[in-house]
Amino acid sequence: MPFAIRIHHPGGPEAMSWEEVEVGNPAPGEARVRHEAVGLNFIDVYHRSGLYPLPLPSGLGLEAAGVVEAVGEGVTEVGAGDRVAYAGGPVGAYSELRCLPAHRLLKLPEAIGSRTAAAMMLQGLTSAYLLLRTYRVQAGDTVLIHAVAGGVGLIACQWAKALGATVIGTVSSPAKAALAHAHGCDHIIDYSREDFAPLVREITGGEGVAVVYDGVGKDTFAGSLDSLRTCGMLVCLGNASGPVPPFDPLLLSQKGSLFLTRPTLMHYTAKRADLVALGSELFDVVGSGKVKIEVNQTYPLPDVASAHRDLAARKLTGSTILLP
């Protein structure tokens, strides 16, 4: 029987266990996929810890790539033998084999391998909707990307540059600053040692940036608002430092009629047409070489607890994959 990571209660990395699971034939509308590589993402930590509660017991993981073994009745999107990848629900990617809705799968181009796909799908599709849908980055814009040396950060930085933007990025160490610089970040601020908002104002000649992409949360929220130009947009996409505390919406008008949004990939790809469109744009920008996907860490899937500890400690850079 195949194995998968399961949790029976929320908790730390030790809450995850490597268990035998039964995977039958795909139901109507489903495909059975044998995973070749699985993606690691911060939302997995939120699910495991209970910050984003799941019905328990549950699997974990939202992203993987592999080969379709079989399809259920009525499936037209993919067929047996297709190389595929996916990102988004339902959870359960931390597994050797699983069945899932076929309409969530995207066929992989010949040039993109399974490890690259597993490293880029969630982070790449997230970058796609952030840059092309939530706020459409234009040539000449200046944008601020927090944690720019992380998985989403490195992809979003390269993609924003390809769109003609000037990128300001924050990091938490000199090593991460060097990594961001190597990926084209124009201005790099170590927010663990410097107050980033005044520096953003200085870089932009006092104007502020068009948009802030903030996956850090509590520690950067106030400074992100102070970094925006009039009518700028703060996009909150994560809580790496903890949830943002409640605040008075009047603050948005006081700081320049600002926009604030908390988007999710699941909403932006709920319709298959939107998923396919964003996937096509991701495959194109990666295939063109404008965005390079680097797998900087790999872990055996049964040792995912170590990966979660390193992720929470911010020891990881770029993309990380788990190997079944």
Side-chain angles (χ1 to χ4, degrees), residues 240-320:
S241 66
V244 174
F247 73 100
D248 186 347
L250 186 62
L251 187 65
L252 299 177
S253 65
Q254 293 170 344
K255 290 184 177 292
S257 295
L258 304 179
F259 292 86
L260 171 66
T261 184
R262 180 59 173 92
T264 71
L265 175 63
M266 281 65 84
H267 291 141
Y268 276 82
T269 59
K271 296 179 180 177
R272 177 156 179 86
D274 293 330
L275 172 63
V276 171
L278 285 173
S280 177
E281 290 176 288
L282 174 60
F283 295 153
D284 286 348
V285 78
V286 172
S288 72
K290 294 177 181 177
V291 171
K292 294 178 173 59
I293 306 299
E294 297 179 6
V295 178
N296 290 347
Q297 299 86 201
T298 62
Y299 296 80
L301 181 55
D303 191 31
V304 67
S306 295
H308 274 227
R309 291 187 185 98
D310 290 345
L311 181 62
R314 302 189 189 180
K315 294 181 178 179
L316 308 184
T317 61
S319 297
T320 302

Coordinates of all heavy atoms in Angstrom, one line a residue, residues 240-320:
A240 N 3.9 35.0 8.1 CA 5.1 34.3 8.5 C 5.5 34.7 9.9 O 6.1 33.9 10.7 CB 6.2 34.5 7.5
S241 N 5.2 36.0 10.3 CA 5.6 36.5 11.6 C 4.4 36.5 12.6 O 4.5 36.9 13.7 CB 6.2 37.9 11.5 OG 5.2 38.8 11.1
G242 N 3.3 36.0 12.1 CA 2.0 36.0 12.9 C 0.9 36.8 12.3 O 1.2 37.6 11.4
P243 N -0.3 36.6 12.7 CA -1.4 37.3 12.1 C -1.4 38.8 12.3 O -0.9 39.2 13.4 CB -2.7 36.7 12.7 CG -2.2 35.4 13.3 CD -0.8 35.6 13.7
V244 N -1.9 39.6 11.4 CA -2.0 41.0 11.6 C -3.1 41.3 12.6 O -4.2 40.8 12.5 CB -2.3 41.7 10.3 CG1 -2.6 43.2 10.5 CG2 -1.2 41.5 9.3
P245 N -2.8 42.1 13.7 CA -3.9 42.4 14.6 C -5.0 43.3 14.1 O -4.7 44.0 13.0 CB -3.1 43.1 15.8 CG -1.9 43.7 15.1 CD -1.5 42.7 14.0
P246 N -6.1 43.3 14.7 CA -7.2 44.2 14.2 C -6.8 45.6 14.2 O -6.0 46.1 15.0 CB -8.3 43.9 15.2 CG -8.0 42.6 15.8 CD -6.5 42.5 15.9
F247 N -7.4 46.4 13.2 CA -7.1 47.8 13.1 C -8.3 48.5 12.6 O -9.2 47.9 12.0 CB -5.8 48.1 12.2 CG -6.1 47.9 10.7 CD1 -6.3 48.9 9.9 CD2 -6.2 46.6 10.2 CE1 -6.6 48.8 8.5 CE2 -6.4 46.4 8.8 CZ -6.6 47.5 8.0
D248 N -8.3 49.8 12.7 CA -9.4 50.7 12.3 C -9.3 51.0 10.8 O -8.2 51.5 10.4 CB -9.4 52.0 13.1 CG -10.6 52.9 12.8 OD1 -11.3 52.6 11.8 OD2 -10.8 53.8 13.5
P249 N -10.2 50.6 9.9 CA -10.1 50.9 8.5 C -9.9 52.4 8.2 O -9.4 52.7 7.1 CB -11.5 50.4 7.9 CG -11.9 49.4 8.9 CD -11.5 49.9 10.3
L250 N -10.3 53.3 9.1 CA -10.1 54.7 8.9 C -8.6 55.0 8.6 O -8.2 55.9 8.0 CB -10.5 55.5 10.1 CG -10.5 57.0 10.0 CD1 -11.4 57.5 8.8 CD2 -10.9 57.7 11.3
L251 N -7.7 54.1 9.1 CA -6.3 54.3 8.9 C -5.9 54.3 7.4 O -5.0 55.0 7.0 CB -5.5 53.1 9.6 CG -4.0 53.2 9.7 CD1 -3.6 54.4 10.5 CD2 -3.5 51.9 10.3
L252 N -6.7 53.5 6.6 CA -6.4 53.5 5.2 C -6.6 54.8 4.5 O -5.9 55.2 3.7 CB -7.3 52.4 4.5 CG -7.1 51.0 5.0 CD1 -8.0 50.0 4.4 CD2 -5.6 50.5 4.8
S253 N -7.7 55.5 5.0 CA -7.9 56.9 4.4 C -6.9 57.9 4.9 O -6.4 58.7 4.1 CB -9.3 57.3 4.7 OG -9.5 57.5 6.1
Q254 N -6.5 57.8 6.2 CA -5.6 58.7 6.7 C -4.2 58.6 6.1 O -3.5 59.6 6.0 CB -5.4 58.5 8.2 CG -6.7 58.8 9.0 CD -6.6 58.3 10.5 OE1 -5.8 57.4 10.8 NE2 -7.5 58.8 11.3
K255 N -3.9 57.4 5.6 CA -2.5 57.2 5.0 C -2.5 57.3 3.4 O -1.6 57.0 2.8 CB -2.0 55.9 5.4 CG -1.6 55.8 6.9 CD -0.9 54.5 7.3 CE -0.5 54.5 8.7 NZ 0.6 55.5 9.0
G256 N -3.7 57.8 2.9 CA -3.7 58.1 1.4 C -4.7 57.3 0.6 O -4.4 56.9 -0.5
S257 N -5.9 57.0 1.2 CA -6.9 56.3 0.5 C -6.3 55.0 -0.1 O -6.4 54.7 -1.3 CB -7.5 57.1 -0.7 OG -8.2 58.2 -0.2
L258 N -5.7 54.2 0.8 CA -5.0 53.0 0.4 C -6.0 51.8 0.2 O -7.1 51.8 0.8 CB -4.0 52.6 1.5 CG -3.0 53.6 1.8 CD1 -2.1 53.1 2.9 CD2 -2.2 54.1 0.6
F259 N -5.6 50.9 -0.6 CA -6.3 49.6 -0.8 C -5.7 48.5 0.0 O -4.4 48.5 0.0 CB -6.4 49.3 -2.3 CG -7.2 50.2 -3.2 CD1 -6.6 51.4 -3.7 CD2 -8.5 49.9 -3.4 CE1 -7.3 52.2 -4.5 CE2 -9.3 50.8 -4.2 CZ -8.7 52.0 -4.7
L260 N -6.5 47.6 0.5 CA -5.9 46.5 1.3 C -6.7 45.2 0.8 O -7.9 45.3 0.8 CB -6.1 46.7 2.8 CG -5.8 45.5 3.7 CD1 -4.3 45.1 3.6 CD2 -6.3 45.8 5.1
T261 N -6.0 44.2 0.5 CA -6.6 42.9 0.1 C -5.9 41.7 0.7 O -4.7 41.8 0.9 CB -6.7 42.8 -1.4 OG1 -7.5 41.6 -1.8 CG2 -5.4 42.7 -2.0
R262 N -6.6 40.7 1.0 CA -6.1 39.4 1.5 C -6.5 38.3 0.5 O -7.5 37.6 0.8 CB -6.5 39.1 2.9 CG -5.9 37.8 3.5 CD -4.4 37.9 3.5 NE -3.8 36.7 4.2 CZ -3.5 35.5 3.6 NH1 -3.8 35.4 2.3 NH2 -2.9 34.6 4.3
P263 N -5.8 38.2 -0.6 CA -6.3 37.2 -1.6 C -5.8 35.8 -1.4 O -4.9 35.6 -0.6 CB -5.7 37.8 -2.9 CG -4.4 38.3 -2.4 CD -4.6 38.9 -1.1
T264 N -6.4 34.8 -2.0 CA -5.9 33.4 -2.0 C -5.9 32.9 -3.4 O -6.7 33.2 -4.3 CB -6.8 32.5 -1.1 OG1 -8.0 32.3 -1.8 CG2 -7.0 33.1 0.2
L265 N -5.0 32.0 -3.7 CA -4.9 31.3 -5.0 C -6.1 30.5 -5.3 O -6.6 30.5 -6.4 CB -3.7 30.4 -5.0 CG -3.5 29.5 -6.2 CD1 -3.2 30.3 -7.4 CD2 -2.4 28.5 -6.0
M266 N -6.7 29.9 -4.3 CA -7.9 29.1 -4.5 C -9.1 29.9 -5.1 O -9.8 29.5 -6.0 CB -8.4 28.5 -3.2 CG -7.6 27.2 -2.8 SD -5.8 27.6 -2.5 CE -6.0 28.1 -0.7
H267 N -9.2 31.2 -4.7 CA -10.3 32.0 -5.3 C -10.0 32.5 -6.7 O -10.8 32.5 -7.6 CB -10.5 33.2 -4.4 CG -11.2 32.9 -3.1 ND1 -10.8 33.5 -1.9 CD2 -12.1 32.0 -2.7 CE1 -11.5 33.1 -0.9 NE2 -12.3 32.1 -1.4
Y268 N -8.7 32.8 -6.9 CA -8.3 33.2 -8.2 C -8.2 32.1 -9.3 O -8.2 32.4 -10.5 CB -6.9 34.0 -8.2 CG -7.0 35.4 -7.8 CD1 -7.2 35.8 -6.4 CD2 -7.0 36.4 -8.7 CE1 -7.2 37.1 -6.0 CE2 -7.1 37.8 -8.3 CZ -7.2 38.1 -7.0 OH -7.3 39.4 -6.6
T269 N -8.3 30.9 -8.8 CA -8.2 29.7 -9.8 C -9.4 28.8 -9.6 O -9.4 27.7 -10.0 CB -6.9 28.9 -9.6 OG1 -6.9 28.4 -8.3 CG2 -5.7 29.8 -9.9
A270 N -10.5 29.3 -9.0 CA -11.7 28.5 -8.7 C -12.3 28.0 -10.0 O -12.8 26.9 -10.1 CB -12.7 29.3 -7.9
K271 N -12.3 28.8 -11.1 CA -12.8 28.4 -12.4 C -11.7 27.8 -13.2 O -10.6 28.4 -13.2 CB -13.4 29.6 -13.1 CG -14.6 30.3 -12.4 CD -15.1 31.5 -13.2 CE -16.3 32.1 -12.5 NZ -16.8 33.3 -13.2
R272 N -11.9 26.7 -13.8 CA -10.8 26.1 -14.6 C -10.2 27.0 -15.6 O -9.0 27.0 -15.9 CB -11.3 24.8 -15.2 CG -10.2 24.1 -16.0 CD -10.3 22.6 -16.2 NE -9.2 22.1 -17.1 CZ -8.0 21.7 -16.6 NH1 -7.8 21.8 -15.3 NH2 -7.1 21.3 -17.4
A273 N -11.1 27.8 -16.3 CA -10.5 28.7 -17.3 C -9.5 29.6 -16.7 O -8.5 29.9 -17.4 CB -11.7 29.5 -17.9
D274 N -9.7 30.1 -15.5 CA -8.7 31.0 -14.9 C -7.5 30.2 -14.5 O -6.4 30.7 -14.6 CB -9.4 31.7 -13.6 CG -10.5 32.6 -14.0 OD1 -10.4 33.2 -15.1 OD2 -11.4 32.8 -13.2
L275 N -7.6 29.0 -14.0 CA -6.5 28.2 -13.7 C -5.6 27.9 -14.9 O -4.4 28.1 -14.9 CB -7.0 26.9 -13.1 CG -5.9 25.8 -12.8 CD1 -4.9 26.3 -11.8 CD2 -6.5 24.5 -12.4
V276 N -6.3 27.5 -16.0 CA -5.5 27.2 -17.2 C -4.8 28.5 -17.8 O -3.7 28.4 -18.2 CB -6.5 26.6 -18.3 CG1 -5.8 26.5 -19.6 CG2 -7.0 25.3 -17.8
A277 N -5.5 29.6 -17.7 CA -4.9 30.9 -18.2 C -3.7 31.3 -17.4 O -2.6 31.6 -17.9 CB -5.9 32.0 -18.2
L278 N -3.8 31.2 -16.0 CA -2.6 31.5 -15.2 C -1.5 30.5 -15.4 O -0.3 30.9 -15.4 CB -3.0 31.6 -13.7 CG -3.8 32.9 -13.3 CD1 -4.3 32.7 -11.9 CD2 -3.0 34.1 -13.5
G279 N -1.9 29.2 -15.5 CA -0.9 28.2 -15.7 C -0.1 28.4 -17.0 O 1.1 28.3 -17.1
S280 N -0.8 28.8 -18.1 CA -0.2 29.1 -19.4 C 0.8 30.2 -19.3 O 1.9 30.2 -19.8 CB -1.3 29.4 -20.4 OG -0.7 29.7 -21.7
E281 N 0.4 31.3 -18.5 CA 1.3 32.4 -18.4 C 2.5 32.0 -17.6 O 3.6 32.5 -17.9 CB 0.5 33.6 -17.7 CG -0.5 34.2 -18.7 CD -1.3 35.3 -18.0 OE1 -2.2 35.0 -17.2 OE2 -1.1 36.5 -18.4
L282 N 2.3 31.2 -16.6 CA 3.5 30.7 -15.8 C 4.4 29.9 -16.6 O 5.6 30.1 -16.6 CB 3.0 29.9 -14.6 CG 4.1 29.2 -13.7 CD1 5.0 30.2 -13.1 CD2 3.4 28.4 -12.6
F283 N 3.9 28.9 -17.4 CA 4.7 28.0 -18.2 C 5.5 28.9 -19.2 O 6.6 28.6 -19.6 CB 3.8 27.0 -18.9 CG 3.2 26.0 -17.9 CD1 2.0 25.4 -18.3 CD2 3.8 25.7 -16.7 CE1 1.4 24.5 -17.4 CE2 3.2 24.8 -15.8 CZ 2.0 24.2 -16.2
D284 N 4.8 29.9 -19.8 CA 5.4 30.7 -20.8 C 6.6 31.5 -20.2 O 7.7 31.6 -20.9 CB 4.4 31.7 -21.4 CG 3.4 31.0 -22.4 OD1 3.7 29.8 -22.7 OD2 2.4 31.6 -22.8
V285 N 6.4 32.1 -19.1 CA 7.5 33.0 -18.5 C 8.6 32.1 -18.0 O 9.8 32.6 -18.1 CB 6.9 33.9 -17.4 CG1 6.7 33.2 -16.1 CG2 7.8 35.1 -17.2
V286 N 8.4 30.9 -17.5 CA 9.5 30.0 -17.1 C 10.2 29.5 -18.4 O 11.4 29.4 -18.5 CB 8.9 28.9 -16.2 CG1 10.0 27.9 -16.0 CG2 8.5 29.5 -14.9
G287 N 9.4 29.1 -19.4 CA 9.9 28.5 -20.6 C 10.8 29.5 -21.4 O 11.7 29.1 -22.0
S288 N 10.4 30.8 -21.2 CA 11.2 31.9 -21.9 C 12.6 32.1 -21.3 O 13.4 32.8 -21.8 CB 10.4 33.2 -21.9 OG 10.4 33.8 -20.7
G289 N 12.7 31.7 -20.0 CA 13.9 31.9 -19.3 C 13.9 33.2 -18.5 O 14.9 33.6 -17.8
K290 N 12.8 34.0 -18.6 CA 12.7 35.3 -17.9 C 12.6 35.0 -16.4 O 13.0 35.8 -15.6 CB 11.5 36.1 -18.4 CG 11.7 36.6 -19.8 CD 10.5 37.3 -20.3 CE 10.6 37.8 -21.7 NZ 9.4 38.5 -22.2
V291 N 12.0 33.9 -16.0 CA 11.9 33.5 -14.6 C 12.5 32.1 -14.5 O 12.1 31.2 -15.1 CB 10.4 33.4 -14.1 CG1 10.3 32.8 -12.7 CG2 9.8 34.8 -14.1
K292 N 13.5 32.0 -13.6 CA 14.3 30.8 -13.4 C 13.8 30.2 -12.0 O 13.7 30.9 -11.0 CB 15.8 31.0 -13.4 CG 16.3 31.4 -14.8 CD 17.8 31.7 -14.7 CE 18.3 32.0 -16.1 NZ 17.7 33.1 -16.8
I293 N 13.5 28.9 -12.1 CA 13.1 28.2 -10.9 C 14.2 27.4 -10.3 O 14.8 26.6 -11.0 CB 11.9 27.2 -11.2 CG1 10.7 28.0 -11.9 CG2 11.4 26.6 -9.9 CD1 10.1 29.1 -11.1
E294 N 14.6 27.7 -9.1 CA 15.7 27.0 -8.4 C 15.3 26.2 -7.2 O 14.6 26.8 -6.3 CB 16.8 28.1 -8.0 CG 17.4 28.8 -9.2 CD 18.4 29.9 -8.7 OE1 18.7 29.9 -7.5 OE2 18.9 30.6 -9.6
V295 N 15.6 24.9 -7.3 CA 15.3 24.1 -6.1 C 16.5 24.1 -5.2 O 17.5 23.5 -5.5 CB 15.0 22.6 -6.6 CG1 14.7 21.8 -5.3 CG2 13.8 22.6 -7.5
N296 N 16.4 24.9 -4.1 CA 17.5 25.1 -3.3 C 17.6 24.0 -2.1 O 18.7 23.9 -1.5 CB 17.5 26.5 -2.7 CG 17.8 27.5 -3.7 OD1 18.2 27.2 -4.8 ND2 17.6 28.8 -3.4
Q297 N 16.5 23.3 -1.9 CA 16.6 22.3 -0.8 C 15.7 21.1 -1.2 O 14.6 21.3 -1.9 CB 16.0 22.8 0.5 CG 16.8 23.9 1.1 CD 16.4 25.3 0.7 OE1 17.2 26.2 0.8 NE2 15.2 25.5 0.2
T298 N 16.1 19.9 -0.9 CA 15.2 18.7 -1.1 C 15.3 17.9 0.2 O 16.3 17.9 0.9 CB 15.7 17.8 -2.2 OG1 17.0 17.3 -2.0 CG2 15.7 18.6 -3.6
Y299 N 14.1 17.3 0.5 CA 14.0 16.4 1.7 C 13.2 15.2 1.3 O 12.3 15.2 0.5 CB 13.2 17.1 2.8 CG 13.8 18.3 3.4 CD1 13.7 19.6 2.8 CD2 14.5 18.3 4.7 CE1 14.2 20.7 3.4 CE2 15.0 19.5 5.2 CZ 14.9 20.7 4.6 OH 15.4 21.8 5.1
P300 N 13.6 14.0 1.9 CA 12.7 12.9 1.7 C 11.3 13.2 2.3 O 11.2 13.8 3.4 CB 13.4 11.7 2.5 CG 14.8 12.2 2.7 CD 14.7 13.7 2.8
L301 N 10.3 12.8 1.6 CA 8.9 13.1 2.1 C 8.7 12.6 3.5 O 8.1 13.3 4.4 CB 7.8 12.6 1.2 CG 6.4 12.8 1.5 CD1 6.1 14.3 1.8 CD2 5.5 12.3 0.4
P302 N 9.2 11.3 3.9 CA 8.9 10.9 5.3 C 9.6 11.8 6.3 O 9.3 11.7 7.5 CB 9.6 9.5 5.3 CG 9.5 9.0 3.8 CD 9.7 10.3 3.1
D303 N 10.6 12.6 5.9 CA 11.4 13.5 6.8 C 10.8 14.9 6.7 O 11.6 15.9 7.0 CB 12.9 13.4 6.5 CG 13.7 14.1 7.6 OD1 13.3 14.1 8.7 OD2 14.8 14.6 7.2
V304 N 9.6 15.0 6.4 CA 9.0 16.4 6.2 C 9.0 17.2 7.5 O 9.1 18.5 7.4 CB 7.6 16.3 5.6 CG1 6.6 15.7 6.7 CG2 7.1 17.6 5.2
A305 N 9.1 16.6 8.7 CA 9.1 17.3 9.9 C 10.4 18.2 9.9 O 10.3 19.4 10.4 CB 9.1 16.4 11.1
S306 N 11.5 17.7 9.4 CA 12.7 18.5 9.4 C 12.5 19.7 8.5 O 13.0 20.8 8.7 CB 13.9 17.7 8.9 OG 14.2 16.6 9.8
A307 N 11.9 19.5 7.3 CA 11.6 20.6 6.4 C 10.8 21.7 7.0 O 11.0 22.9 6.9 CB 10.9 20.0 5.2
H308 N 9.7 21.3 7.8 CA 8.9 22.2 8.5 C 9.6 23.0 9.5 O 9.4 24.3 9.6 CB 7.7 21.5 9.1 CG 6.5 21.3 8.2 ND1 5.2 21.6 8.5 CD2 6.5 20.8 6.9 CE1 4.4 21.3 7.5 NE2 5.2 20.9 6.5
R309 N 10.5 22.4 10.3 CA 11.3 23.1 11.3 C 12.2 24.1 10.6 O 12.3 25.3 11.0 CB 12.1 22.1 12.1 CG 11.3 21.2 13.0 CD 12.2 20.4 13.9 NE 11.3 19.4 14.7 CZ 11.2 18.2 14.4 NH1 11.8 17.7 13.3 NH2 10.4 17.4 15.1
D310 N 12.9 23.7 9.5 CA 13.8 24.7 8.8 C 13.0 25.8 8.2 O 13.5 26.9 8.1 CB 14.6 23.9 7.7 CG 15.6 22.9 8.3 OD1 15.9 23.1 9.6 OD2 16.1 22.1 7.6
L311 N 11.8 25.5 7.6 CA 11.0 26.6 7.0 C 10.5 27.6 8.1 O 10.6 28.8 7.9 CB 9.7 25.9 6.4 CG 8.8 26.9 5.7 CD1 9.4 27.6 4.5 CD2 7.5 26.1 5.2
A312 N 10.1 27.1 9.3 CA 9.6 28.0 10.3 C 10.8 28.8 10.8 O 10.6 30.0 11.3 CB 9.0 27.2 11.4
A313 N 12.0 28.3 10.8 CA 13.2 29.0 11.3 C 13.8 29.9 10.2 O 14.8 30.5 10.5 CB 14.3 28.0 11.8
R314 N 13.1 30.0 9.1 CA 13.6 30.8 8.0 C 15.0 30.5 7.5 O 15.7 31.4 7.1 CB 13.4 32.3 8.3 CG 12.0 32.7 8.7 CD 11.9 34.2 8.9 NE 10.6 34.5 9.5 CZ 10.2 35.8 9.7 NH1 10.9 36.8 9.4 NH2 9.0 36.0 10.3
K315 N 15.3 29.2 7.5 CA 16.6 28.7 7.0 C 16.6 28.4 5.5 O 17.6 28.2 4.9 CB 17.0 27.4 7.8 CG 17.2 27.6 9.3 CD 17.7 26.3 9.9 CE 18.0 26.4 11.4 NZ 18.4 25.1 12.0
L316 N 15.4 28.4 4.9 CA 15.3 28.0 3.5 C 15.2 29.2 2.6 O 14.7 30.3 3.0 CB 14.0 27.2 3.3 CG 13.8 26.0 4.3 CD1 12.6 25.2 3.9 CD2 15.0 25.1 4.3
T317 N 15.7 29.0 1.4 CA 15.7 30.0 0.4 C 15.1 29.4 -0.9 O 15.2 28.2 -1.1 CB 17.0 30.6 0.1 OG1 17.9 29.6 -0.4 CG2 17.6 31.3 1.3
G318 N 14.5 30.3 -1.7 CA 13.9 29.8 -3.0 C 12.9 28.7 -2.7 O 12.1 28.7 -1.8
S319 N 12.9 27.7 -3.6 CA 11.9 26.6 -3.6 C 12.5 25.4 -2.9 O 13.7 25.1 -3.0 CB 11.5 26.3 -5.0 OG 10.8 27.4 -5.6
T320 N 11.6 24.6 -2.3 CA 12.0 23.3 -1.6 C 11.0 22.3 -2.1 O 9.8 22.5 -2.2 CB 11.9 23.5 -0.1 OG1 12.7 24.6 0.3 CG2 12.3 22.2 0.6

